[in-house]
Amino acid sequence: ATLTDIFSTFVFTVDTGGIGAAVFFVILGVALMRQKRVGWWVAMVYLGFNLLGSLLITVTLVSAVVNGQWWGIGDQAYLARFALNLGLLSGLVALLVAYRGEFAARRTRGNVRKAILTLVAGLIITVGISMLLVSVFPGELERPRGRFIWIFHRIIGDRTYGQLGAAPPNWIGAVVGLLTAATLLSALFVLMRAQRQAAYLSPEEEGRVRALLPSSTEDSLAYFGTRRDKSVVFAGDGSAAITYRVELGVCLASSDPLGPKDHWPGAIKAWQGLIRQYGWTPAVIGASEAGATAYAASGLRVIRLGDEAILEPATFRLDGRDMRPVRQAVQRLERIGYQTTIRRHSDIPGDEMAGLIRRADDWRDTETERGFSMALGRLGDASDGDCLMVEARFPVDRPMPGGPLAGFLSFVPWGTDGCSLDVMRRHPAADNGITELMVCALLAGAHPLGIRRVSLNFAVFRSAFEEGARIGAGPVQRLWRRLLLVASRWWQIESLYRSNVKYRPFWSPRFLCFADTGDIALVGAASGVAEGFIDLPGFLRARPVELPAAQQPWMLAPAATAAPAGSPEADREAESIRPAEQTRLRMKMRKALLTQGTDPYPPDFTPTHRCADLELGQQVRVAGRVLAVRDHGGVIFVKIRDWSGDA
């Protein structure tokens, strides 16, 4: 046997040139499975041509029989083959026509012209390379007409033409098939990539989504619905909405619907109607118990995906044996001289925010920002002024080349009395425990900020780690835990669980919703792509959406390029960007106050000294965090800390 025969036996047949046809049928089959209207039309055209060809050949053979031109037993089998083929094709066409109403899924918006150009260019390249190979190894093909016809038959997957001694070597047919398959896949990816780029949250839709946030206070992930690389579908009356993204043909909804609970069914119905319209596979990532119940009532299946760690500042304590590791880490960094500050994003000057954005990019350990259900995907946007920034700084006696910042945590609002972790960064040279220091600082200073609940990371399969490690755990639980530990070498599964469990949080379950059990693998892959755990090749990765200038989000510009506050240039720029209605009203009031010579943001308290500069006998005004209060009857001692030190 030759090497080609061995390869054909164990891998795939390389003497048919039908690889491209196989890829075509796979793509067509997926389109029909998703009930795509375009797939129905392609199938009808393809089957129609084959039906017409089989009909002509069958009529020709029957005419030969009627005229007495019969060739023997071999010709009888030939006639039977085409008669059977004609019957099967007729049945398939009849079924497609009878059930044409089932194929109503529309094609999502995409760059069809670019995909067609990719297809045409790929076919031209395929024909050119194939003609060159056939010219060098022609076999007994006539030139050039016979060679071109042979290439055409190989492209369409015809295995009969040129097999009787006139064909070139077998490997040329395999090359033609591979080039055809690559062309079809490239055109498909170009089309899907263009559709992915077309999906984004417009400024008008973002305003409507933000209007629903006050009625979504129970969901800690509601604010992440304003992520701008998601799409949104609203209920018929606009009282509820679902944000989603389409990956690998799966429509991934993020968390619970936005809006009042009693209006969720309308949003879910609109979302499912959109799925049927485009033939997508439905799935929901990170739904709460209430959201999973609503999705289950609509027909989806539900499994527990993991748990969200929630801390309550009113009950959080560092004392006790269970909290010893956290307590020791915090106390050690405080003794070294680390300091923390907590500010709203709106209180951070533009140049400082620009520095935070640069460090967020420099300290990120991945090429792009990960996250979909629990990540905002932007930092420093003026519309996120209510977000919290917790910063940790190196000790004063340890100057760092990049500045004093040792790490920071950014939290998005959770209703009016909570926050959810969005961004977590630390300096590579920061001491261990820097994250614990910032989390505890936020919990200690939560009361003045009106924060009574804090959501940390989402621990996937948390129960598997706990139950699999217990004494008496069954073999299935232990095996599942071991598999997760192996997977944690590539993905942060166990580390997220370990980073949360040390705080002894309250665990809130999160669920994955899907339609059919057979969709689990596809939904898992799509979720991995959306969350950033599965990196697609560069030519398959969607590029960031570039919005038109009139629709650019209102971003917080660095101080180096921003116009001075209150200047005519700044006012004209702000009015041209057209932010949300509430923001425009506030800007109008601010402009009126500036015209009257009134400070629109007057401080209600102005300190005169820093804590580190205080001396005995002085009468001063200081601002800082109260660390301790000691009441000795007629004398009260207070320990206060600001960015300069303690007093």
Side-chain angles (χ1 to χ4, degrees), residues 262-301:
D262 53 345
H263 292 271
W264 285 1
I268 296 176
K269 182 178 179 180
W271 176 64
Q272 291 180 329
L274 191 69
I275 289 172
R276 289 191 297 269
Q277 183 179 6
Y278 291 104
W280 292 326
T281 299
V284 183
I285 304 179
S288 68
E289 190 168 359
T293 302
Y295 282 113
S298 67
L300 296 183
R301 302 184 180 184

Side-chain angles (χ1 to χ4, degrees), residues 555-579:
M555 302 300 293
L556 181 62
T561 59
S567 64
E569 292 79 9
D571 292 335
R572 285 196 298 269
E573 181 182 358
E575 291 177 355
S576 63
I577 297 176
R578 302 292 296 171

Side-chain angles (χ1 to χ4, degrees), residues 618-632:
Q618 288 181 312
Q619 185 175 357
V620 299
R621 294 163 59 92
V622 295
R625 182 156 59 97
V626 177
L627 300 180
V629 178
R630 299 189 299 274
D631 190 348
H632 294 278

Side-chain angles (χ1 to χ4, degrees), residues 187-241:
L188 177 64
F189 287 139
V190 168
L191 179 63
M192 296 304 296
R193 184 179 182 183
Q195 293 171 2
R196 172 66 178 84
Q197 292 174 353
Y200 62 88
L201 198 66
S202 67
E204 293 78 13
E205 292 173 335
E206 182 179 348
R208 297 178 63 186
V209 168
R210 288 183 179 274
L212 296 175
L213 293 180
S215 57
S216 305
T217 57
E218 296 304 318
D219 185 13
S220 62
L221 309 184
Y223 196 87
F224 297 113
T226 63
R227 185 180 174 114
R228 294 188 180 119
D229 58 355
K230 296 180 180 180
S231 299
V232 62
V233 57
F234 292 92
D237 56 358
S239 59

Side-chain angles (χ1 to χ4, degrees), residues 102-121:
E102 299 294 329
F103 300 91
R106 295 165 50 190
R107 178 186 55 82
T108 52
R109 183 177 60 178
N111 197 334
V112 180
R113 181 180 301 177
K114 185 179 293 186
I116 293 177
L117 290 176
T118 302
L119 178 63
V120 173

Side-chain angles (χ1 to χ4, degrees), residues 512-596:
L512 174 69
C513 308
F514 56 94
D516 298 315
T517 306
D519 298 333
I520 285 291
L522 180 61
V523 170
S527 302
V529 173
E531 296 288 354
F533 296 111
I534 299 178
D535 294 328
L536 295 176
F539 65 94
L540 301 181
R541 197 177 302 138
R543 295 174 296 189
V545 178
E546 295 293 339
L547 301 182
Q551 296 183 353
Q552 286 287 345
W554 187 35
M555 302 300 293
L556 181 62
T561 59
S567 64
E569 292 79 9
D571 292 335
R572 285 196 298 269
E573 181 182 358
E575 291 177 355
S576 63
I577 297 176
R578 302 292 296 171
E581 178 67 23
Q582 185 179 15
T583 304
R584 293 201 301 271
L585 292 176
R586 292 178 178 178
M587 291 169 59
K588 184 178 179 181
M589 183 178 296
R590 167 185 171 274
K591 183 177 179 181
L593 292 174
L594 288 173
T595 304
Q596 299 171 4

